[in-house]
Coordinates of all heavy atoms in Angstrom, one line a residue:
R119 N 47.1 -72.5 -9.6 CA 48.0 -72.5 -8.4 C 47.5 -73.4 -7.3 O 48.2 -74.1 -6.7 CB 48.2 -71.0 -7.9 CG 49.2 -70.9 -6.8 CD 50.6 -71.4 -7.3 NE 51.6 -71.3 -6.3 CZ 52.4 -70.3 -6.1 NH1 52.3 -69.2 -6.9 NH2 53.3 -70.3 -5.2
V120 N 46.2 -73.3 -7.1 CA 45.6 -74.2 -6.1 C 45.8 -75.7 -6.5 O 46.2 -76.5 -5.6 CB 44.1 -74.0 -5.9 CG1 43.4 -75.0 -5.0 CG2 43.8 -72.6 -5.4
L121 N 45.6 -76.0 -7.7 CA 45.7 -77.4 -8.2 C 47.2 -77.9 -8.1 O 47.4 -79.1 -8.1 CB 45.1 -77.6 -9.5 CG 43.6 -77.4 -9.6 CD1 43.1 -77.4 -11.0 CD2 42.9 -78.4 -8.7
T122 N 48.2 -77.0 -8.2 CA 49.6 -77.5 -8.0 C 49.8 -77.9 -6.6 O 50.7 -78.7 -6.3 CB 50.6 -76.4 -8.4 OG1 50.4 -75.2 -7.6 CG2 50.3 -75.9 -9.9
I123 N 49.0 -77.3 -5.7 CA 49.2 -77.6 -4.2 C 48.3 -78.8 -3.9 O 48.7 -79.7 -3.1 CB 48.8 -76.3 -3.4 CG1 49.7 -75.1 -3.7 CG2 48.9 -76.6 -1.9 CD1 49.2 -73.8 -3.2
D124 N 47.1 -78.7 -4.4 CA 46.1 -79.8 -4.1 C 45.4 -80.2 -5.3 O 44.3 -79.6 -5.7 CB 45.1 -79.3 -3.0 CG 44.0 -80.3 -2.7 OD1 44.2 -81.4 -3.1 OD2 43.0 -79.9 -2.1
P125 N 45.9 -81.2 -6.1 CA 45.4 -81.6 -7.4 C 43.9 -82.0 -7.3 O 43.3 -82.0 -8.4 CB 46.3 -82.7 -7.8 CG 47.6 -82.5 -7.1 CD 47.1 -81.9 -5.8
S126 N 43.4 -82.4 -6.2 CA 42.0 -82.9 -6.1 C 41.1 -81.9 -5.6 O 39.9 -82.3 -5.2 CB 42.0 -84.2 -5.3 OG 42.4 -83.9 -3.9
N127 N 41.5 -80.7 -5.4 CA 40.6 -79.6 -4.9 C 39.4 -79.4 -5.8 O 39.5 -78.9 -6.9 CB 41.4 -78.3 -4.7 CG 40.6 -77.3 -3.9 OD1 39.6 -76.8 -4.4 ND2 41.1 -77.0 -2.7
E128 N 38.2 -79.8 -5.3 CA 37.0 -79.8 -6.2 C 36.6 -78.3 -6.5 O 36.2 -78.1 -7.6 CB 35.9 -80.5 -5.4 CG 36.1 -82.0 -5.3 CD 34.9 -82.7 -4.6 OE1 34.0 -82.0 -4.3 OE2 35.0 -83.9 -4.4
A129 N 36.8 -77.4 -5.6 CA 36.4 -76.0 -5.9 C 37.3 -75.4 -7.0 O 36.8 -74.7 -7.9 CB 36.5 -75.2 -4.6
A130 N 38.6 -75.8 -7.0 CA 39.5 -75.2 -8.0 C 39.2 -75.9 -9.3 O 39.2 -75.2 -10.4 CB 40.9 -75.5 -7.6
I131 N 38.9 -77.2 -9.3 CA 38.6 -77.9 -10.6 C 37.4 -77.3 -11.2 O 37.3 -77.0 -12.4 CB 38.4 -79.4 -10.3 CG1 39.8 -80.0 -9.9 CG2 37.9 -80.1 -11.5 CD1 39.6 -81.5 -9.4
A132 N 36.3 -77.1 -10.4 CA 35.0 -76.6 -11.0 C 35.2 -75.2 -11.4 O 34.7 -74.7 -12.5 CB 34.0 -76.7 -9.9
G133 N 36.0 -74.4 -10.6 CA 36.2 -73.0 -11.0 C 37.0 -72.8 -12.3 O 36.8 -72.0 -13.1
L134 N 38.0 -73.7 -12.4 CA 38.9 -73.7 -13.6 C 38.0 -74.0 -14.9 O 38.1 -73.3 -15.9 CB 40.0 -74.7 -13.5 CG 41.0 -74.7 -14.6 CD1 41.7 -73.4 -14.7 CD2 42.1 -75.8 -14.3

Side-chain angles (χ1 to χ4, degrees):
R119 187 59 183 269
V120 173
L121 293 173
T122 62
I123 301 166
D124 178 13
S126 62
N127 190 292
E128 294 183 1
I131 292 172
L134 183 61

